[in-house]
Amino acid sequence: MELKRPGHERMFQWVQMCRIDLERPGLGNNTADVERLKRGLSQALQGDEVDVPWRIWKDLPSVLRRCDFSVTALVFRHSDHWRVMDVLPDSPPKPKYALGVDLGTTTFVCFLLDPGTGATVAEKTVANPQIETGPDILTRIHYAGTGDGLDHLRQMARDGINRAVDSLCMETGIAASDIVVAAVAGNTTMTHFFLGLDPSNIRREPYIPVVNRPGWIPCRDLGLNLHPESFAYVFPNVGSYFGGDLISGILASGMHRSPDICFLVDVGTNAEVVLGNSEWLLACAGAAGPALEGGVAKMGMLAGDGAIEHVRIDPDTLEAVPSVIGGTKPVGICGSGLIDLVAELFSKNIIDQRGKIRALDHPRIVETDSGRAYVVAPGETTGHGGDVLVSQVDLDILLRSKAAMYTILTTITEEVGITFRDIRRFYVSGTFGTYIDPKMAIRIGMIPDLPLTTYVPLGNSSALGAKAFLLNRNRLDEVMEIAGKVTYLELNVNQRFMTLFSAAKFIPHTDPSLFPSVKLEHRGG
Amino acid sequence: MELKRPGHERMFQWVQMCRIDLERPGLGNNTADVERLKRGLSQALQGDEVDVPWRIWKDLPSVLRRCDFSVTALVFRHSDHWRVMDVLPDSPPKPKYALGVDLGTTTFVCFLLDPGTGATVAEKTVANPQIETGPDILTRIHYAGTGDGLDHLRQMARDGINRAVDSLCMETGIAASDIVVAAVAGNTTMTHFFLGLDPSNIRREPYIPVVNRPGWIPCRDLGLNLHPESFAYVFPNVGSYFGGDLISGILASGMHRSPDICFLVDVGTNAEVVLGNSEWLLACAGAAGPALEGGVAKMGMLAGDGAIEHVRIDPDTLEAVPSVIGGTKPVGICGSGLIDLVAELFSKNIIDQRGKIRALDHPRIVETDSGRAYVVAPGETTGHGGDVLVSQVDLDILLRSKAAMYTILTTITEEVGITFRDIRRFYVSGTFGTYIDPKMAIRIGMIPDLPLTTYVPLGNSSALGAKAFLLNRNRLDEVMEIAGKVTYLELNVNQRFMTLFSAAKFIPHTDPSLFPSVKLEHRGG
């Protein structure tokens, strides 16, 4: 039998296409079709075991005979064996694709990969349709407990992905049936919704998820309209508060293989923090996010067109010079813009160390119904014609968020008996990580005063991890290793935490020796 | 954790009920529900791997909490691990049942087993609904190739089994969802119909089935209305002409474990013959059956109420004294009756050694449109009022059948270089085996003249093998061993075969030294 072995670079793919010439049957060679295929494939796949699921049997006799027993088999690596997905006549096979999904609370990021080249062929971000039942996850958990709520949430997650896939296919001309493998990473609750599992125990003491390691599930059962024999890998979670999106993020960062100690910070609704290296991984999470994600400040918004992403304040006029995403007129301000703004307001002496806006007689300082505010962009320059301003309340919230972040980082570092100086790389993931200027975040005392080269923006680390997984099946072992290694540290909001927190609410901190570079900057400013 | 281990006698069952007290979750013990169950079960099952399929996940949290983590899990042994079928509150579990199916061309024999006691709880024989599309398998193979024929045949097989199950459940009060495992044994073509597989290559050179080893298939996929998570084992076939019913028959006979050489003969449409022991198994088949199964003789019928199963002929009156199944008036004659009749006709000198009815002047010898005939039961004694008679044509067919049988036995024995005297046990399966009197079969020269104790009627060996399989999962290895060991001998109808066949058409044979006991009997008669 002549074997056309797949090239070496394909050996670690989840799905392979094997072109094989099977022995033709004869009176002295009357093995059945299924067993003939199995044997031929096993030989082509270095003796690995091959499973031919019974849905494949029906069409096999005619396919084999139509092309005189020279076929292309699509095989999927399932645990320790190969599973036949399809047997095709021996025509030049079309490329096959992989689907990655970052199953976020707010958005789904879906992308198609070409595992042959490793390229992302197309990407689509869609709003999570579940938002219709509630913007935040707690509302949805409540909704899941009412009537058909859970099933509805499952359907919405499924439909959202299917619609994104439709649109990706439309855009690229790829057939959904040519998408042959998928990986889905989401937080524990989103993963539960996606699988149709009761999330109520996740947020109720003692915080028990239904499942921690969902693994491979047939796309058919999940209702995903991909290749009918395809499987989707659902990333494991470590517990209720540490989901598959973070496992995927760790995978993307590579910190689990690093001899040096690294930080990974993902700011969403919560700030999620992982500290560790190839030996150990410690994780914790805390409410530090909303202001940074734009969810709380009155003028806050998610990074997107019209959002002020960066701000400088003219030292002479004390007027803000905003940089707006998309180059349009500003309509709001996102997390990175807020951080810049606070840093600039402080360095220009418009706010004091506690973040209070000084009673300056200046057109940009105004009194509103909800207290004093600073006008970042006056109405005549904005997209909606109203002022974009930041109130004292907004600033207070931001400072609490930044203090929470710094305190969480301090606490987890102290927990393992190291100092910030032991950190070699600090990965910042998410939209926040993409837009934030670490220098500014240091200036307000949100993140430690480490050399700027320590900070590495990761982008959507959950999606990146899913991509890494889909391109190389060796990553499965790493995922399981990460899931087995992560220790979750329950943040204990005790006296010590509150003391640290209070000190961290100052700009940059009550102990300026912690921020030597900021001191210089401030003096110089 | 307190473990209630299943008793030792259950250790080899396919499905076990494990009652386990799982550790209660707590803040320091927050394993997810699925992994908690998995771990608890694995400990209860001596460390075996346990798979919790995702369909089980949905209801798990509420079941676990409803009974405070003391549950009964139903687990099925799938290859090298246990697969959870169900998790039930820890109430006294109801017994679970196994379904065996002998998937015959003419009838389906379906029976329920209690694997705890090994008892057959109920049995139901139903006509194969496929008969509607053709009584013989070749007509059905043709029908399978037309339009939706194949799918229709698959549905009829499925519906036939489902109806039999319904009726078994009705009769016993057992719920279909308490039937948790199944085994199906049929010939290669029937197995293909049942699985919805194209049978056309089975009867077309070089005779290639679609599959030889179907193995375990989810009942849900097969459309069998049993426990939703149950699997059915479909017996393997060795090739087109040696099906799972025979593998199952060998299993039932135990000949594959015997140090002595044994014969297994199954007479259906074909005579199927296996010769061998624990070392080797040689099989062949030939057209020897119809007359014996009652399909050809004009008055022939299947063994059943009204069939003459045994006959003696009064040496003085030369009148037949029939024994009728069910004690009713006779309406026809079945295979064993025909054999008795020929033996008696010959011993009373009514037919000669070639089986020709002598031109005796006797009221029981009549001339009909189709030649001379012997009246077994005159009209006034029969169920339908007409004579039950056996014509010369019927006798000729029977003698050809018995000659074919003897020739096949001779040929296969010669093939391995042994003689009939080396045979220690001769298993006769099927209805034929149940009713036939070996002494009579020897007298007409159909089977070798071995000590009568050599002959062992097996009954429905295909059903018996399925039962043995369902009661003990160690039998799976034996089934695979049998399937791997059987060599199929293609009968070569050459000059040698025809010479043997011609000699065997005589009663008992042209060479009477082959039948020493018959010689005595005949002289004595």
Side-chain angles (χ1 to χ4, degrees):
Chain A
M1 181 164 44
E2 189 202 337
L3 299 180
K4 290 168 190 158
R5 292 215 174 139
H8 184 70
E9 78 287 355
R10 298 200 146 205
M11 288 316 294
F12 302 107
Q13 294 203 357
W14 286 107
V15 173
Q16 291 192 16
M17 279 185 290
C18 290
R19 294 185 66 166
I20 47 173
D21 289 328
L22 296 171
E23 285 181 31
R24 276 69 180 163
L27 279 174
N29 179 346
N30 58 357
T31 309
D33 293 338
V34 169
E35 283 78 12
R36 183 177 301 272
L37 175 69
K38 207 169 190 164
R39 191 194 296 166
L41 278 174
S42 178
Q43 284 177 14
L45 293 159
Q46 282 80 47
D48 286 350
E49 214 187 301
V50 174
D51 178 27
V52 186
W54 89 283
R55 278 196 199 85
I56 300 292
W57 301 352
K58 195 176 161 61
D59 294 331
L60 189 60
S62 72
V63 173
L64 290 181
R65 283 161 187 82
R66 210 163 1 142
C67 57
D68 197 25
F69 292 84
S70 279
V71 290
T72 301
L74 203 66
V75 295
F76 164 63
R77 183 73 183 187
H78 196 286
S79 55
D80 57 349
H81 64 275
W82 294 95
R83 187 182 158 95
V84 176
M85 298 178 66
D86 224 339
V87 182
L88 308 158
D90 190 28
S91 52
K94 280 197 289 183
K96 303 295 174 188
Y97 299 90
L99 172 73
V101 179
D102 166 37
L103 201 70
T105 305
T106 311
T107 55
F108 294 169
V109 181
C110 300
F111 52 93
L112 290 185
L113 298 174
D114 178 343
T117 63
T120 301
V121 178
E123 186 174 310
K124 180 96 193 167
T125 301
V126 296
N128 181 340
Q130 297 171 338
I131 289 175
E132 161 195 333
T133 69
D136 66 288
I137 208 100
L138 281 172
T139 317
R140 293 185 218 166
I141 289 178
H142 177 76
Y143 177 72
T146 59
D148 294 332
L150 179 56
D151 207 42
H152 188 207
L153 286 161
R154 185 185 60 75
Q155 286 164 20
M156 285 188 286
R158 178 199 66 194
D159 294 347
I161 298 175
N162 280 336
R163 278 198 297 268
V165 169
D166 278 353
S167 135
L168 287 168
C169 287
M170 195 90 80
E171 180 187 318
T172 56
I174 291 168
S177 58
D178 283 331
I179 305 171
V180 293
V181 62
V184 179
N187 66 44
T188 305
T189 305
M190 276 307 304
T191 299
H192 276 54
F193 288 152
F194 175 56
L195 298 174
L197 302 175
D198 176 12
S200 62
N201 295 307
I202 292 180
R203 299 286 166 140
R204 183 191 287 159
E205 212 182 288
Y207 315 111
I208 309 292
V210 178
V211 67
N212 274 336
R213 300 182 175 192
W216 290 104
I217 300 180
C219 288
R220 180 201 311 269
D221 291 352
L222 291 170
L224 298 184
N225 299 333
L226 310 179
H227 188 291
E229 293 296 319
S230 63
F231 280 70
Y233 183 76
V234 181
F235 272 76
N237 41 262
V238 173
S240 292
Y241 289 96
F242 198 85
D245 50 347
L246 294 167
I247 302 276
S248 181
I250 295 173
L251 182 71
S253 75
M255 67 186 287
H256 61 291
R257 290 190 308 244
S258 161
D260 298 326
I261 300 176
C262 308
F263 251 130
L264 170 65
V265 172
D266 191 341
V267 182
T269 311
N270 280 334
E272 277 144 338
V273 171
V274 185
L275 179 64
N277 57 15
S278 58
E279 301 289 319
W280 52 272
L281 292 165
L282 187 67
C284 72
L292 305 176
E293 255 215 337
V296 171
K298 201 173 171 197
M299 293 293 160
M301 63 181 284
L302 290 172
D305 281 356
I308 297 172
E309 60 167 335
H310 289 298
V311 184
R312 291 291 170 273
I313 291 179
D314 186 298
D316 300 322
T317 65
L318 297 190
E319 286 177 5
V321 185
S323 313
V324 182
I325 298 178
T328 63
K329 288 184 173 181
V331 294
I333 186 162
C334 69
S336 57
L338 267 179
I339 290 168
D340 279 18
L341 184 68
V342 172
E344 287 286 284
L345 289 172
F346 180 58
S347 99
K348 302 307 175 298
N349 233 354
I350 301 169
I351 59 175
D352 65 15
Q353 237 203 333
R354 294 170 307 133
K356 300 300 171 193
I357 303 173
R358 296 179 197 276
L360 299 177
D361 180 18
H362 187 280
R364 289 295 173 102
I365 309 290
V366 295
E367 296 293 333
T368 70
D369 290 350
S370 50
R372 200 169 291 164
Y374 173 79
V375 178
V376 186
E380 62 272 23
T381 68
T382 67
H384 45 52
D387 290 350
V388 171
L389 46 75
V390 173
S391 70
Q392 186 62 54
V393 176
D394 295 337
L395 290 175
D396 291 348
I397 291 169
L398 176 74
L399 288 175
R400 278 205 295 279
S401 279
K402 81 98 184 170
M405 171 68 88
Y406 191 79
T407 309
I408 292 167
L409 297 175
T410 305
T411 307
I412 191 170
T413 311
E414 283 182 351
E415 180 73 23
V416 289
I418 60 167
T419 69
F420 287 140
R421 272 183 298 277
D422 296 313
I423 310 296
R424 286 291 161 276
R425 268 185 313 286
F426 192 116
Y427 298 102
V428 193
S429 76
T431 317
F432 178 70
T434 308
Y435 291 102
I436 195 183
D437 179 342
K439 199 167 69 177
M440 293 299 191
I442 292 170
R443 271 171 60 183
I444 69 165
M446 186 172 79
I447 55 179
D449 193 7
L450 297 173
L452 291 179
T453 52
T454 310
Y455 290 95
V456 184
L458 264 191
N460 184 337
S461 60
S462 168
L464 277 176
K467 175 173 175 172
F469 177 91
L470 286 167
L471 292 182
N472 189 343
R473 61 186 157 90
N474 284 349
R475 298 281 172 262
L476 176 58
D477 288 343
E478 294 183 34
V479 167
M480 295 318 286
E481 200 189 304
I482 294 169
K485 206 182 267 173
V486 168
T487 306
Y488 188 77
L489 174 69
E490 198 70 52
L491 268 189
N492 199 353
V493 183
N494 53 17
Q495 191 52 51
R496 161 94 187 131
F497 186 92
M498 289 313 295
T499 307
L500 285 172
F501 179 69
S502 300
K505 278 202 287 187
F506 284 73
I507 306 174
H509 197 275
T510 51
D511 177 2
S513 77
L514 292 171
F515 290 86
S517 77
V518 178
K519 229 169 148 187
L520 286 170
E521 177 93 19
H522 195 210
R523 278 178 193 150
Chain B
M1 180 164 39
E2 189 199 336
L3 299 181
K4 289 166 189 158
R5 291 216 175 142
H8 183 69
E9 77 288 354
R10 300 201 147 206
M11 287 314 294
F12 302 110
Q13 293 203 358
W14 287 108
V15 173
Q16 289 193 20
M17 278 185 290
C18 289
R19 294 185 66 165
I20 48 173
D21 288 329
L22 295 171
E23 285 181 31
R24 277 71 178 159
L27 279 175
N29 181 345
N30 59 357
T31 308
D33 293 338
V34 169
E35 283 77 12
R36 184 177 301 272
L37 175 69
K38 204 168 192 166
R39 191 195 296 166
L41 278 173
S42 177
Q43 285 177 14
L45 293 160
Q46 283 78 47
D48 286 348
E49 213 187 301
V50 174
D51 178 28
V52 186
W54 88 284
R55 279 197 199 82
I56 301 293
W57 301 352
K58 194 176 161 64
D59 295 330
L60 189 61
S62 72
V63 173
L64 289 181
R65 282 160 188 81
R66 208 162 3 139
C67 57
D68 197 25
F69 292 83
S70 281
V71 290
T72 301
L74 202 65
V75 293
F76 163 63
R77 183 73 183 186
H78 196 288
S79 57
D80 56 349
H81 63 275
W82 293 96
R83 187 182 158 95
V84 176
M85 297 177 66
D86 225 339
V87 182
L88 308 156
D90 191 28
S91 52
K94 280 197 288 183
K96 303 295 172 188
Y97 299 90
L99 171 73
V101 179
D102 166 36
L103 199 71
T105 306
T106 311
T107 55
F108 294 170
V109 181
C110 300
F111 52 94
L112 290 185
L113 298 176
D114 177 344
T117 63
T120 301
V121 178
E123 186 175 308
K124 180 95 193 164
T125 302
V126 295
N128 180 340
Q130 297 171 337
I131 289 174
E132 163 195 332
T133 67
D136 65 289
I137 209 102
L138 281 172
T139 317
R140 292 184 218 165
I141 289 178
H142 177 76
Y143 177 71
T146 60
D148 293 334
L150 177 57
D151 207 45
H152 188 207
L153 287 159
R154 185 184 63 75
Q155 287 165 19
M156 286 188 287
R158 177 199 67 195
D159 294 348
I161 297 174
N162 280 336
R163 277 197 299 267
V165 169
D166 279 353
S167 136
L168 286 168
C169 287
M170 195 90 79
E171 180 187 318
T172 55
I174 291 168
S177 58
D178 284 330
I179 305 172
V180 293
V181 62
V184 178
N187 66 44
T188 306
T189 306
M190 277 307 303
T191 298
H192 275 55
F193 288 152
F194 175 57
L195 297 175
L197 303 175
D198 176 11
S200 62
N201 295 308
I202 293 179
R203 299 285 165 141
R204 182 191 288 161
E205 213 182 289
Y207 314 112
I208 309 293
V210 179
V211 67
N212 275 335
R213 301 184 173 192
W216 290 104
I217 301 180
C219 289
R220 180 200 311 268
D221 291 351
L222 291 170
L224 298 184
N225 299 333
L226 311 180
H227 187 291
E229 293 296 318
S230 63
F231 280 71
Y233 183 75
V234 180
F235 271 76
N237 40 262
V238 173
S240 293
Y241 289 96
F242 197 86
D245 50 348
L246 295 165
I247 301 274
S248 180
I250 294 173
L251 183 71
S253 75
M255 66 187 287
H256 61 292
R257 289 191 308 246
S258 163
D260 299 325
I261 300 176
C262 308
F263 249 130
L264 169 65
V265 172
D266 192 340
V267 182
T269 312
N270 279 335
E272 275 145 339
V273 170
V274 186
L275 179 65
N277 59 15
S278 58
E279 301 289 321
W280 51 272
L281 293 166
L282 186 66
C284 72
L292 304 175
E293 256 216 334
V296 170
K298 204 173 168 197
M299 292 294 160
M301 62 181 287
L302 291 172
D305 280 358
I308 298 171
E309 59 166 336
H310 290 298
V311 184
R312 291 292 172 271
I313 291 178
D314 186 297
D316 300 324
T317 65
L318 298 189
E319 286 177 5
V321 184
S323 313
V324 181
I325 298 178
T328 64
K329 289 185 174 180
V331 293
I333 185 162
C334 69
S336 58
L338 266 181
I339 290 169
D340 278 18
L341 184 68
V342 171
E344 286 288 282
L345 289 172
F346 179 58
S347 102
K348 302 308 176 295
N349 232 352
I350 301 170
I351 59 174
D352 66 14
Q353 236 203 331
R354 293 171 306 139
K356 298 299 171 195
I357 304 174
R358 293 179 199 279
L360 300 177
D361 181 18
H362 186 279
R364 290 294 174 103
I365 309 290
V366 296
E367 298 291 335
T368 71
D369 290 350
S370 49
R372 199 168 290 163
Y374 173 80
V375 177
V376 186
E380 62 271 24
T381 68
T382 67
H384 45 51
D387 290 351
V388 171
L389 47 74
V390 172
S391 71
Q392 186 61 56
V393 175
D394 295 337
L395 291 176
D396 291 348
I397 291 170
L398 177 71
L399 288 176
R400 278 206 295 278
S401 280
K402 81 98 185 170
M405 171 69 88
Y406 191 78
T407 307
I408 293 167
L409 297 174
T410 306
T411 306
I412 192 170
T413 313
E414 284 183 349
E415 181 73 23
V416 289
I418 61 167
T419 71
F420 288 141
R421 273 184 296 275
D422 297 314
I423 309 298
R424 286 293 162 274
R425 269 185 311 288
F426 193 117
Y427 298 103
V428 193
S429 77
T431 318
F432 178 70
T434 310
Y435 291 101
I436 195 181
D437 179 344
K439 200 167 71 176
M440 292 300 190
I442 293 169
R443 272 172 59 185
I444 69 164
M446 188 171 79
I447 55 178
D449 192 7
L450 298 172
L452 290 178
T453 52
T454 311
Y455 291 94
V456 185
L458 266 190
N460 183 339
S461 60
S462 167
L464 278 176
K467 176 174 174 171
F469 177 92
L470 286 167
L471 292 181
N472 189 343
R473 61 186 155 89
N474 284 348
R475 298 281 173 261
L476 176 58
D477 288 342
E478 295 183 33
V479 167
M480 295 317 285
E481 201 188 303
I482 294 169
K485 207 183 266 173
V486 169
T487 306
Y488 188 75
L489 174 67
E490 197 69 49
L491 268 190
N492 200 355
V493 183
N494 52 18
Q495 191 53 50
R496 164 92 187 134
F497 186 92
M498 289 313 296
T499 307
L500 286 170
F501 179 67
S502 299
K505 277 203 288 188
F506 284 73
I507 306 174
H509 196 275
T510 51
D511 179 3
S513 76
L514 292 172
F515 290 87
S517 77
V518 177
K519 235 168 146 185
L520 288 170
E521 177 93 19
H522 193 210
R523 276 178 197 151

